[in-house]
Amino acid sequence: MTSKLTLHGVSKRYGPVTALHPTDLEVREGEFVTLLGPSGSGKSTLLKIIAGMELPTEGRIIINGRDATEMPVRERDLGMVFQNYALMPHLTVFDNVAFPLKIRKTATEEIRRKVHDALKTVQLEHLKDRKPQALSGGQQQRVSIARAIVYNPSLVLMDEPLGALDKKLREQLQFEIKELHDRLGITILYVTHDQQEAMSMSDRVALMNGGRIEQIGTPRQLYFTPETAFAADFLGSSNFIDATVTARTSERTVCRLSSGEEIAAPSREGFSEGQKVRLMVRPEHISLLGQAVSADRNVLKGVTTGTTFFGESAEIRARLAAGSEIAIRIPNDYSLPEAEPGAPLHLEWDVRQTHVFA
Amino acid sequence: MQTMHALETNTTIGKAHRGRIPIMIRTLGFGTFLLPLTVFMLLVFCVPLLGVARASFYTNGTWTLSAYREFVSGALFHRALINTLSIGFMTGLISVICGYFVAYHLSRMPQRKRRLYIILVMLPFWTSILVKSFAFTVLLGTNGIINQALQAISGTNVVVPMIFNRAGVIIGMAHWLIPFSVLPILSSLLSQDKALRDAAEVMGATGMQVFWKVTFPLSLPGVLASGLMASVIGMGSFVTPSLLGGRQDLMMANLVDFYVREALDWRMASAIAVVLILLALLILSTAAFVRTRLSR
Amino acid sequence: MNTLHQSAKATSRLGRPISASVLIAWLVYLFLIVPSLIVVPMSFGTSNELVFPPQQWGLDLYAKALDPAQGWLSAGGRSFVLGLIATGLALMMGVPAAYGLSRTNFFGQKALSFMLLSPIFAPTIVVALALYLYFATLHINGSMLGLVMGHAVIITPFLVVTTLSGLKHLDRNIENAAMVMGATQLQVFFRVVLPAIKGPVLSGSLFAFLLSFDEVIVSWFIARSDQPTLPVKMYSSIQWEVSPVLAAISTFLVFITVIVSLVSAFAQPENTDGF
Ligand SMILES: Nc1ncnc2c1ncn2[C@@H]1O[C@H](COP(=O)(O)OP(=O)(O)OP(=O)(O)O)[C@@H](O)[C@H]1O
Ligand SMILES: [Mg+2]
């Protein structure tokens, strides 16, 4: 597969502020890549540099095989969907979608056909004569999407396109964008700070933190094998437990908690005996059986401190013998005899679902 | 915060003021604040205006349309009316065009710098019209600075007539109305979402295309409204045509003056004033209509 | 460094037509500012003819302007007093009215505010004629009272507009908080609202004063010809013969305008684009 976008060591500084550390990134043809990260992590900065609205302090940008580092915005052959739609208020829906085609001096008949097709794709043909102000937020964003794909740009950038919509509409549009991507084979670089959105839509997620890409991979990779505590914490929920490495083989690393209990985890590079570490296990990977002692399971003792019901699941909070608080998520078809505050608990989970971080 | 503190500690104020005004406030509410100016404007603005309308119909104890009949048939009035309209619209147009360049320039600079430049633009606006008229006589006159410079450059005795004619009136009036049209255009340019221009550029538009397809159409309602506004204000002007214009550039305001001072005919002066104010109302309501219509 | 790089890039990206527009903008600035500036050097000339640049420099024109026999001084004094009283009257009526307008929403309010602000849009000559006819019946033409009322009609709407724009930035919850703490409406106005908008009101009244000080048309109709205001005296002077002493008077007026503009610029809050 060919590469639609390649970044080589792109960085951005505003005076003393480093908004983006040198960053490499590749987006392949037809891929859906998401930049995910908390506020201020540099997502918009990266997107603006790619779009050409900001110049990088260092590094090179290759779009569709051409060096675009110094290229004017208009020559980069990009599509863009903005958070606040950025539809021209003086133009009708039709003319908004026709805008990029008119700029390209496309023949009238072809404009009519392409706009029609694009509006049909987002199911808005019937509103083509309205002004954008007369549309709902979701409809406006669909127009904006139609406008970004009507001229087949190499790469479509989307900066928090669903940020201004309510939850229900957001979920529906997530689905529609994903479906559009799969059907038309367009290449999308998407920005969001909503981890659920990133996971459900993307082929790959680039997790950003403090102006750099912390980890990049498929949603499954990020979820099941987070490389840093930040990645583990940002994607999904997580429990952290302080421990010290006591033994290490090529397969297993064994750590001791302050209570003396031992936890095993799959070995990773870069840890040595005696090192202080943080162990992580996701609340939904813990179960409460605690009877079946096997070499593949970790077991801990705790005391219930509280329970919260979420409908489809429940969360039980427990205090470990080692002192720290831990959360357990379990499906709610369960009866929970031990869930009274103060009741002792036996927590148990798969060794492979234990992660060790420095 | 300080004021809050003062409120809590200083309760004597309320007692000292207890009297007629608080009672008024209790019955009229915020209307009390509006009352003095409303009464003043009714008595010293509205009643006098109605007096003008009355004076245009009522002379020597009889009601008559004679003034308006004279207006409709008199060549002098036709000329003044045409002058008023053409000079008004011409200066409105010139002011808006010049004002647009300035407003565009202002809209693309950082805010601190812009504040400084706005003072620069508004300074001539607040300068007495007499100072400017005087300066233009000195600048544009037959022996004026510009003609002297032209003669020095060309080595001939050319004299470009720029004063006591239509050009003089329009130059003088544009000078006054350009700052007037800069502010509304500037505020309409500043209220535009930068994302729209970014979007256009991403879609492949050049700088010129961004301007003509996005920036300009979006600013059009503001431009039209402020152009019409400037025209109306120009049409009412009196000092500039009187000091910088020639005899043939007489505007309706000058005619009002003439009928009051020279002809001592209040009836005719009032009729002209009524026509002038109706004209202003007509254009202003057009402007309001255009603004709501286009910005929808 | 980086921003330099960027702005160079931006202009080259936008191409030549934009820089042509900057050039035109500068020509317009020049056109706007030159007439106000040209009078300054001229006022320091000595000759009786208006030539630029002056052949000789001196303060003769100022001496002439200040000569009581010429009448400029008394006209200036008259305009000054008139401006002060008219501005005071405008403040007393305009600021409360602006507050009333901004805090109410009643039937006919649009019409009322149109009425209160209409002297801004009405051709001044019509207002002048109207006042002239009206004051003739009241026999106050030519009096200071007539001039003060006439000027108040012209400048108060302007003060209302500037006060309104100041009030727009004021958080209404501050007033509500004061009310909850037991303040009366009058106390809220004097102790909460007025202190909060004193910047815009100050700059508005400075400009209102300037407006009155420079007002020609109403005064031209109402003032007695042997007791002219400064602008009326200037107007008749330019009409008959353009005397060099006008350069000195003009410089003085430009100076006042600059002072008023600067003071009001400092009185305005930082983050506004007002004038
Ligand atoms: N023009 C600028 N000048 C100085 N610093 C800036 C500028 N633009 C962005 N920054 C800084 O760069 C960092 C990254 O900003 P960026 O807008 O890329 O964050 P983001 O990930 O998009 O956040 P959000 O989710 O809030 O949109 C921030 O710390 C921000 O303060
Ligand atoms: Mg952002």
Side-chain angles (χ1 to χ4, degrees):
Chain A
M1 263 192 282
T2 55
S3 158
K4 282 285 171 186
L5 170 75
T6 315
L7 303 182
H8 294 296
V10 168
S11 72
K12 180 74 188 177
R13 281 192 296 274
Y14 295 102
V17 183
T18 301
L20 189 68
H21 293 279
T23 298
D24 295 327
L25 179 69
E26 189 185 8
V27 180
R28 292 182 285 267
E29 182 167 8
E31 211 179 7
F32 193 128
V33 175
T34 297
L35 302 177
L36 172 68
S39 184
S41 57
K43 310 178 295 285
S44 298
T45 304
L46 188 52
L47 211 67
K48 278 187 197 142
I49 290 173
I50 295 167
M53 291 160 198
E54 299 276 0
L55 286 179
T57 310
E58 322 162 302
R60 318 254 11 120
I61 302 160
I62 316 290
I63 296 173
N64 220 8
R66 294 183 303 161
D67 187 329
T69 314
E70 306 269 318
M71 203 183 263
V73 176
R74 63 169 187 279
E75 289 169 19
R76 297 191 178 205
D77 189 31
L78 299 171
M80 190 153 180
V81 178
F82 294 77
Q83 174 166 3
N84 294 314
Y85 324 131
L87 295 174
M88 311 291 168
H90 60 295
L91 300 178
T92 60
V93 166
F94 181 94
D95 287 331
N96 261 291
V97 179
F99 188 96
L101 299 172
K102 286 185 179 158
I103 292 287
R104 286 170 173 68
K105 308 226 164 18
T106 313
T108 318
E109 187 47 36
E110 200 182 338
I111 290 181
R112 210 192 51 74
R113 188 176 51 75
K114 283 191 167 168
V115 173
H116 182 263
D117 288 350
L119 285 175
K120 195 167 167 184
T121 313
V122 295
Q123 299 148 35
L124 282 180
E125 307 141 278
H126 57 295
L127 298 178
K128 68 178 166 47
D129 295 321
R130 288 229 196 135
K131 288 279 179 72
Q133 305 89 286
L135 300 181
S136 72
Q139 290 168 331
Q140 289 189 49
Q141 201 53 294
R142 285 204 201 104
V143 176
S144 168
I145 291 167
R147 183 178 70 168
I149 61 175
V150 71
Y151 55 106
N152 284 322
S154 307
L155 175 67
V156 178
L157 309 175
M158 302 190 175
D159 192 357
E160 309 221 10
L162 310 180
L165 304 177
D166 65 40
K167 187 169 184 290
K168 203 147 195 144
L169 207 54
R170 208 155 62 213
E171 278 165 7
Q172 187 189 339
L173 268 158
Q174 280 171 15
F175 176 77
E176 285 180 25
I177 293 174
K178 180 71 185 145
E179 199 265 342
L180 208 70
H181 166 260
D182 295 346
R183 186 151 48 91
L184 304 181
I186 41 185
T187 313
I188 296 180
L189 183 59
Y190 192 97
V191 166
T192 182
H193 59 249
D194 179 340
Q195 49 109 357
Q196 182 265 330
E197 192 170 302
M199 304 265 241
S200 65
M201 299 173 81
S202 323
D203 297 325
R204 285 193 300 149
V205 175
L207 181 65
M208 295 194 69
N209 182 30
R212 41 169 68 86
I213 294 181
E214 186 106 3
Q215 184 176 356
I216 183 163
T218 64
R220 293 183 73 83
Q221 282 169 338
L222 262 73
Y223 187 77
F224 289 114
T225 54
E227 283 165 11
T228 62
F230 173 82
D233 200 25
F234 198 81
L235 278 108
S237 23
S238 42
N239 294 303
F240 286 98
I241 307 163
D242 291 327
T244 312
V245 179
T246 52
R248 226 180 104 84
T249 67
S250 62
E251 284 190 359
R252 290 242 168 130
T253 303
V254 179
C255 308
R256 175 174 289 131
L257 276 53
S258 59
S259 59
E261 291 164 299
E262 287 198 332
I263 297 286
S267 276
R268 287 207 299 143
E269 294 292 303
F271 294 98
S272 52
E273 282 178 30
Q275 189 181 344
K276 294 225 175 292
V277 292
R278 297 171 78 198
L279 302 173
M280 191 282 280
V281 58
R282 298 202 182 279
E284 61 271 33
H285 291 158
I286 305 175
S287 61
L288 291 178
L289 297 175
Q291 316 294 359
V293 179
S294 108
D296 290 336
R297 313 287 288 174
N298 285 317
V299 179
L300 280 184
K301 281 201 184 103
V303 176
T304 314
T305 55
T307 313
T308 312
F309 285 89
F310 291 103
E312 79 276 13
S313 66
E315 185 179 282
I316 298 169
R317 285 176 305 283
R319 178 170 302 283
L320 298 179
S324 47
E325 282 269 353
I326 197 166
I328 304 122
R329 261 242 187 193
I330 45 176
N332 227 355
D333 58 347
Y334 234 73
S335 53
L336 304 164
E338 313 92 332
E340 299 300 320
L345 287 175
H346 285 273
L347 315 174
E348 177 206 7
W349 67 89
D350 194 317
V351 167
R352 284 167 305 169
Q353 280 155 347
T354 317
H355 306 271
V356 188
F357 301 114
Chain B
M1 280 293 76
Q2 220 175 339
T3 49
M4 294 290 168
H5 183 68
L7 264 174
E8 279 178 305
T9 52
N10 194 343
T11 47
T12 50
I13 287 284
K15 284 182 190 119
H17 275 270
R18 210 151 278 163
R20 206 171 294 149
I21 294 178
I23 290 172
M24 249 168 73
I25 289 196
R26 232 168 290 136
T27 48
L28 274 175
F30 283 103
T32 322
F33 293 101
L34 283 164
L35 199 64
L37 186 62
T38 307
V39 170
F40 179 80
M41 281 309 209
L42 279 175
L43 288 182
V44 193
F45 181 69
C46 296
V47 170
L49 272 190
L50 290 176
V52 171
R54 179 177 185 272
S56 72
F57 292 111
Y58 192 77
T59 31
N60 304 325
T62 48
W63 293 92
T64 165
L65 279 173
S66 62
Y68 294 94
R69 247 181 254 124
E70 277 173 52
F71 191 96
V72 170
S73 58
L76 180 65
F77 303 115
H78 292 177
R79 183 135 57 83
L81 183 63
I82 291 169
N83 280 350
T84 302
L85 286 172
S86 60
I87 292 177
F89 282 126
M90 192 68 191
T91 35
L93 185 69
I94 291 176
S95 308
V96 161
I97 294 173
C98 294
Y100 203 103
F101 282 101
V102 170
Y104 187 83
H105 186 228
L106 291 173
S107 74
R108 296 291 180 271
M109 57 175 72
Q111 202 189 28
R112 280 181 160 276
K113 196 172 157 197
R114 179 158 61 233
R115 279 171 66 85
L116 211 74
Y117 275 62
I118 286 177
I119 298 177
L120 201 73
V121 172
M122 291 317 287
L123 206 66
F125 180 76
W126 288 109
T127 304
S128 161
I129 188 142
L130 294 163
V131 171
K132 292 184 284 189
S133 301
F134 169 70
F136 276 123
T137 3
V138 174
L139 278 167
L140 308 176
T142 334
N143 292 321
I145 295 167
I146 291 179
N147 271 318
Q148 279 176 20
L150 284 179
Q151 285 164 9
I153 292 168
S154 66
T156 60
N157 280 336
V158 285
V159 169
V160 183
M162 287 175 292
I163 200 169
F164 307 130
N165 58 16
R166 186 62 58 98
V169 181
I170 289 178
I171 292 174
M173 230 139 89
H175 189 267
W176 174 42
L177 293 175
I178 288 170
F180 194 88
S181 44
V182 167
L183 291 182
I185 299 176
L186 176 63
S187 82
S188 100
L189 286 176
L190 287 179
S191 68
Q192 288 181 14
D193 185 359
K194 182 173 179 296
L196 295 180
R197 297 197 295 273
D198 285 344
E201 224 181 327
V202 170
M203 290 184 280
T206 61
M208 276 308 229
Q209 283 172 318
V210 171
F211 179 80
W212 287 111
K213 286 180 183 284
V214 182
T215 309
F216 184 72
L218 286 175
S219 65
L220 205 54
V223 168
L224 281 178
S226 81
L228 286 174
M229 194 74 179
S231 302
V232 166
I233 292 182
M235 283 175 199
S237 65
F238 161 70
V239 176
T240 313
S242 150
L243 295 182
L244 299 180
R247 290 189 57 79
Q248 69 288 351
D249 304 309
L250 200 69
M251 291 175 68
M252 285 168 74
N254 307 108
L255 222 49
V256 172
D257 183 44
F258 169 81
Y259 274 99
V260 173
R261 290 176 171 269
E262 319 273 322
L264 304 176
D265 182 351
W266 290 4
R267 171 196 57 114
M268 203 59 225
S270 300
I272 300 167
V274 167
V275 174
L276 188 56
I277 206 161
L278 288 181
L279 207 62
L281 271 179
L282 182 73
I283 298 172
L284 280 178
S285 40
T286 314
F289 178 74
V290 161
R291 167 156 265 172
T292 52
R293 188 62 195 271
L294 277 185
S295 57
R296 219 174 338 122
Chain C
M1 278 300 286
N2 191 39
T3 50
L4 265 183
H5 178 194
Q6 230 167 288
S7 66
K9 174 108 179 164
T11 45
S12 76
R13 200 188 289 167
L14 294 175
R16 194 178 278 137
I18 298 303
S19 35
S21 89
V22 171
L23 186 72
I24 297 178
W26 275 104
L27 287 177
V28 179
Y29 290 129
L30 195 71
F31 169 64
L32 289 178
I33 207 77
V34 158
S36 310
L37 291 185
I38 199 95
V39 297
V40 179
M42 306 221 34
S43 72
F44 295 105
T46 54
S47 86
N48 267 326
E49 255 190 75
L50 283 166
V51 280
F52 186 89
Q55 314 287 310
Q56 268 187 309
W57 302 89
L59 292 174
D60 301 21
L61 296 176
Y62 287 94
K64 213 168 163 189
L66 291 175
D67 179 1
Q70 299 275 335
W72 290 108
L73 210 53
S74 58
R78 197 170 293 119
S79 282
F80 186 76
V81 172
L82 170 57
L84 281 188
I85 303 177
T87 306
L89 189 58
L91 270 173
M92 288 192 297
M93 298 186 301
V95 175
Y99 181 60
L101 279 181
S102 72
R103 294 297 183 257
T104 51
N105 198 355
F106 56 88
F107 177 77
Q109 193 204 24
K110 273 233 166 79
L112 180 65
S113 60
F114 178 78
M115 191 268 269
L116 295 183
L117 300 181
S118 52
I120 294 178
F121 314 111
T124 316
I125 189 83
V126 178
V127 182
L129 174 70
L131 292 173
Y132 175 74
L133 299 184
Y134 186 57
F135 290 166
T137 61
L138 299 178
H139 305 291
I140 54 171
N141 265 334
S143 70
M144 195 60 163
L145 177 64
L147 281 172
V148 166
M149 305 261 265
H151 279 214
V153 168
I154 299 286
I155 68 176
T156 311
F158 175 78
L159 195 58
V160 172
V161 171
T162 37
T163 310
L164 275 175
S165 78
L167 284 166
K168 209 167 58 185
H169 297 291
L170 190 65
D171 183 1
R172 281 199 69 165
N173 281 330
I174 297 176
E175 291 158 56
N176 294 337
M179 295 265 204
V180 169
M181 289 189 263
T184 66
Q185 256 180 355
L186 264 195
Q187 283 176 311
V188 169
F189 178 69
F190 281 106
R191 313 211 126 243
V192 180
V193 176
L194 267 191
I197 57 168
K198 61 177 187 289
V201 168
L202 172 68
S203 95
S205 24
L206 282 172
F207 281 118
F209 172 80
L210 197 61
L211 217 54
S212 159
F213 195 73
D214 287 340
E215 206 286 326
V216 211
I217 306 178
V218 170
S219 311
W220 171 246
F221 274 70
I222 292 174
R224 272 170 60 173
S225 54
D226 60 339
Q227 289 177 4
T229 64
L230 187 64
V232 167
K233 189 166 165 57
M234 283 182 83
Y235 177 66
S236 15
S237 167
I238 301 177
Q239 254 188 329
W240 303 124
E241 45 112 36
V242 182
S243 136
V245 74
L246 286 168
I249 313 278
S250 294
T251 303
F252 170 66
L253 290 180
V254 168
F255 179 71
I256 292 191
T257 311
V258 171
I259 296 288
V260 165
S261 300
L262 289 183
V263 171
S264 88
F266 283 110
Q268 291 279 346
E270 259 293 302
N271 55 353
T272 54
D273 267 308
F275 47 92

